[in-house]
Amino acid sequence: MVSYPTLTVQRRLADKVFVLEVIRDLDEAIALLCAQLGDTVDPFAEDLCPYFGILWPAAEALASHLADNPELVQGRDVLELGCGLGFPAMVASHLGGRVLAT
């Protein structure tokens, strides 16, 4: 298992501060993964890339949109597919949505 260097980021939305631990640098994380894999040729190695640990701009935009429009999730069932860090799911839950994040 690779231990990726991380950092903590904070985002304030919907009157709450969300604290997230993210991978410090995606390129650095991929280099660490490749070093661990060594010379093994694995056609599925890209599936191991730590994309899950990045706070993607699209996730920040969706979370911000939900915070600006809480009626979209309040009292509703919400499904976030491929959630990575789950930032939009956390915001939706904070706003009163019943959230399932995968």
Side-chain angles (χ1 to χ4, degrees):
M1 181 191 313
V2 178
S3 179
Y4 301 111
T6 61
L7 56 95
T8 302
V9 298
Q10 296 182 5
R11 297 294 186 268
R12 177 179 289 281
L13 286 177
D15 300 323
K16 181 174 177 68
V17 175
F18 295 87
V19 179
L20 304 159
E21 185 175 3
V22 302
I23 288 178
R24 182 174 67 195
D25 179 87
L26 183 59
D27 291 332
E28 174 187 36
I30 290 171
L32 287 169
L33 175 64
C34 290
Q36 181 178 347
L37 291 175
D39 292 332
T40 40
V41 178
D42 182 352
F44 300 105
E46 186 173 341
D47 293 341
L48 301 174
C49 287
Y51 299 126
F52 57 83
I54 302 300
L55 182 54
W56 295 100
E60 291 196 79
L62 177 56
S64 180
H65 181 70
L66 294 176
D68 291 342
N69 301 280
E71 70 279 1
L72 294 173
V73 294
Q74 286 175 337
R76 295 181 177 216
D77 294 326
V78 178
L79 173 64
E80 185 180 1
L81 295 173
C83 67
L85 293 173
F87 185 42
M90 287 185 262
V91 172
S93 179
H94 173 69
L95 296 170
R98 294 178 301 275
V99 178
L100 174 62
T102 66

